[in-house]
Amino acid sequence: RARELMRPVYAGYRSVAELFPRSPADFVFHDDARRFEEGMPSFPALAVLAESLRELSGWGYRRIAVHNAAAIARLRAGLEARGIRPLLGDATVPTGGIVSFETPEFARVARELERRGTTVWARDGRVRLAAHAYTSDDEIDTALAQIDEIGAAA
């Protein structure tokens, strides 16, 4: 019964019983665990992932968590000091490394930040900034100064 309930998300060339059925609607998954095989994995991406995890592990996950919390607090405080209210208003709630705010000029803000070398996500009336293990205090301060320059708080 578990096999009936467990459907793969998509068909990989190794997950199907017949590689070239008459039509795409005719493919049949293997009855065993092979049904979850995806086919040809992206070996370069796997190598990058392995090296990234090795690097992060060397930094220490606790140290990264402490750094990220401080970076997010610095970014939030800097926005609030400029009259910009982050979307998640409660700074005591643990979050990931993303801080967003609303502005009707989200496209202009993103374009101007990008022109100054700061990449953000901006869509649906929001600007989203990210601060993670690799983000320095200087980079956060630079982004906040750029926000001052372009008048994002207005």
Side-chain angles (χ1 to χ4, degrees), residues 3-65:
R3 285 187 181 142
E4 293 172 22
L5 297 174
M6 294 175 56
R7 290 259 175 216
V9 176
Y10 64 93
Y13 84 92
R14 297 191 58 168
S15 65
V16 294
E18 184 181 340
L19 187 55
F20 299 107
R22 288 185 197 175
S23 80
D26 292 333
F27 74 85
V28 176
F29 288 109
H30 284 292
D31 287 334
D32 54 20
R34 290 178 296 171
R35 68 182 26 226
F36 297 105
E37 289 192 39
E38 297 180 3
M40 185 56 126
S42 173
F43 290 111
L46 291 173
V48 169
L49 174 62
E51 191 56 37
S52 298
L53 292 174
R54 189 175 356 272
E55 179 72 20
L56 291 172
S57 177
W59 291 358
Y61 296 115
R62 177 74 182 131
R63 187 171 132 216
I64 292 170

Side-chain angles (χ1 to χ4, degrees), residues 11 19 54 115 120 141:
L19 187 55
R54 189 175 356 272
R115 199 168 66 74
V120 298
D141 294 344

